[in-house]
Amino acid sequence: MPREVINIGVVANDGTGDSLRIAGQKINNNFEELYAETAVDSYISFDGNNIISNASNADINLVPAGTGNIIFPAISIIDNEILATRSNDNLIFDTQGSGGVQLSSILFADNEISTVLTNEDINFVPAGSGTVVLPSLQISSNIDINNNEIKTTQSNSNLSLSGNGTGSVHFDSISIRHNTIKTVSSNANLEFNPAGSGKVVINGFNIPSSPIGTAQFETNASKVLSFITPTFSISHGTLTDGTASIIDSTITTIDSFDAATYRTAKYFLSLTDSANSRYEFITANVVHDGITAYVSSQGSVSNYGSSLVTLSADISGGNVRLLGQLSGAGDALEFRFQKWLINI
């Protein structure tokens, strides 16, 4: 309804204006329309610099029209976004006394971030390929992470990293699970390199880091390992051992060696006839000329009156063979031997 204006005439008391009744009706009509407006006929009142909701427990809603925003001196509220409108300004949420700022289930109080729901986690989730960057972090008052260093904050406490289930803890190309340390890269070495004159210590054994020539390890009563140059070495031959057996009167190969590599061999043979409790020790020397092999046995010692085996030698398939055949009516023989081979 348009606003109704009271006709007051041209000059006072000229009789051309509205009567008192008609003027009163216009006043009532105007007030009736005014009180019908939302801004007046509502539960909002203004008292000084306060905007008050008069309805019990009612909200106060600020709703812009169309694409408009709610603007405060330095704050803009757009849909579900709160912005600082001044360049380089901070957006500050501050509380009084011991109160904190609560966003959904997260509470910010002083320099502490906590959840308000029982047993809830706090998750930091970067977008896409981003990472969570924390210059310095302390976890549960026990773990401190600063730059590239992780350490415990409690005196003499361990730093424990544990994989879940069958999982393990990986450091670059090293995997640690239970009491096993291994490499995860195929065919990679597992290396322990002390700094300077330091040593690798394993179960009390001190392992030096600088071997000399063909040095070997030795240890003392204090579990200190050191490199020494061995007093016994073979440069032109090989020392090995082995076993063999002869089960019947057939000529049997006891041992063989490469005729192209070695010229001579010396055997120390220990013989056992278990069935008859007979034992013998023999040394046998073998040499060849590439065509024929020769053997000489000597130094036989036995608890039986005669030798338990007859030895011979030949060359077959490029190998020199030491052969044996049972002597007399003896039973099967077991051989244990050591041999010295000398290069051509």
Side-chain angles (χ1 to χ4, degrees), residues 226-247:
S226 59
F227 288 105
I228 62 168
T229 300
T231 57
F232 175 82
S233 63
I234 300 176
S235 300
H236 304 287
T238 303
L239 174 62
T240 62
D241 59 10
T243 62
S245 62
I246 300 177
I247 61 174

Side-chain angles (χ1 to χ4, degrees), residues 39-54:
V40 176
D41 188 19
S42 68
Y43 299 102
I44 299 295
S45 63
F46 297 86
D47 185 6
N49 63 345
N50 297 321
I51 302 175
I52 303 169
S53 174
N54 296 319

Side-chain angles (χ1 to χ4, degrees), residues 136-150:
S136 181
L137 176 66
Q138 187 174 106
I139 303 174
S140 187
S141 302
N142 294 324
I143 304 295
D144 183 73
I145 303 174
N146 197 337
N147 293 328
N148 61 344
E149 183 179 359
I150 303 175

Side-chain angles (χ1 to χ4, degrees), residues 264-268 283-286 298 338-342:
T264 59
K266 186 177 188 69
Y267 286 89
F268 299 90
T283 59
N285 300 318
V286 180
Q298 57 188 14
Q338 293 180 345
K339 68 177 177 182
W340 291 71
L341 295 171
I342 301 176

Side-chain angles (χ1 to χ4, degrees), residues 100-161:
V101 177
Q102 183 174 334
L103 304 177
S104 186
S105 59
I106 300 295
L107 178 66
F108 298 83
D110 294 330
N111 62 344
E112 183 176 321
I113 303 174
S114 60
T115 61
V116 296
L117 299 177
T118 302
N119 302 321
E120 282 290 302
D121 297 328
I122 295 179
N123 299 319
F124 296 88
V125 182
S129 60
T131 58
V132 176
V133 179
L134 301 172
S136 181
L137 176 66
Q138 187 174 106
I139 303 174
S140 187
S141 302
N142 294 324
I143 304 295
D144 183 73
I145 303 174
N146 197 337
N147 293 328
N148 61 344
E149 183 179 359
I150 303 175
K151 64 181 180 180
T152 61
T153 58
Q154 294 187 351
S155 178
N156 302 319
S157 62
N158 296 324
L159 180 62
S160 300
L161 304 176

Side-chain angles (χ1 to χ4, degrees), residues 53-325:
S53 174
N54 296 319
S56 177
N57 302 318
D59 298 328
I60 295 178
N61 299 320
L62 303 178
V63 183
T67 60
N69 302 319
I70 298 173
I71 306 294
F72 296 96
I75 298 293
S76 175
I77 301 175
I78 305 173
D79 290 332
N80 61 345
E81 185 175 358
I82 302 175
L83 305 173
T85 59
R86 291 192 297 242
S87 179
N88 302 319
D89 256 8
N90 296 323
L91 185 61
I92 300 173
F93 296 87
D94 204 357
T95 59
Q96 292 295 324
S98 60
V101 177
Q102 183 174 334
L103 304 177
S104 186
S105 59
I106 300 295
L107 178 66
F108 298 83
D110 294 330
N111 62 344
E112 183 176 321
I113 303 174
S114 60
T115 61
V116 296
L117 299 177
T118 302
N119 302 321
E120 282 290 302
D121 297 328
I122 295 179
N123 299 319
F124 296 88
V125 182
S129 60
T131 58
V132 176
V133 179
L134 301 172
S136 181
L137 176 66
Q138 187 174 106
I139 303 174
S140 187
S141 302
N142 294 324
I143 304 295
D144 183 73
I145 303 174
N146 197 337
N147 293 328
N148 61 344
E149 183 179 359
I150 303 175
K151 64 181 180 180
T152 61
T153 58
Q154 294 187 351
S155 178
N156 302 319
S157 62
N158 296 324
L159 180 62
S160 300
L161 304 176
S162 301
N164 192 10
T166 59
S168 57
V169 179
H170 281 203
F171 298 93
D172 195 10
S173 58
I174 300 295
S175 171
I176 302 175
R177 184 170 183 267
H178 298 320
N179 60 346
T180 301
I181 303 174
K182 65 180 182 180
T183 62
V184 296
S185 298
S186 179
N187 302 318
N189 295 328
L190 182 61
E191 299 181 2
F192 297 88
N193 294 317
S197 60
K199 295 179 173 61
V200 175
V201 179
I202 301 176
N203 195 28
F205 282 95
N206 292 267
I207 302 175
S209 58
S210 300
I212 302 173
T214 58
Q216 299 177 354
F217 277 131
E218 74 170 4
T219 183
N220 60 18
S222 300
K223 294 186 177 181
V224 176
L225 297 174
S226 59
F227 288 105
I228 62 168
T229 300
T231 57
F232 175 82
S233 63
I234 300 176
S235 300
H236 304 287
T238 303
L239 174 62
T240 62
D241 59 10
T243 62
S245 62
I246 300 177
I247 61 174
D248 54 33
S249 59
T250 303
I251 298 176
T252 304
T253 300
I254 299 172
D255 187 51
S256 64
F257 58 87
D258 184 9
T261 303
Y262 303 104
R263 176 67 66 196
T264 59
K266 186 177 188 69
Y267 286 89
F268 299 90
L269 301 156
S270 177
L271 287 64
T272 300
D273 176 356
S274 300
N276 300 294
S277 299
R278 297 171 182 172
Y279 309 100
E280 183 178 7
F281 178 78
I282 308 172
T283 59
N285 300 318
V286 180
V287 67
H288 72 91
D289 57 12
I291 300 174
T292 305
Y294 308 91
V295 62
S296 172
S297 60
Q298 57 188 14
S300 173
V301 178
S302 173
N303 69 340
Y304 183 60
S306 61
S307 179
L308 302 178
V309 67
T310 300
L311 299 177
S312 60
D314 67 4
I315 298 178
S316 177
N319 292 321
V320 176
R321 301 189 302 173
L322 176 64
L323 307 174
Q325 184 177 23

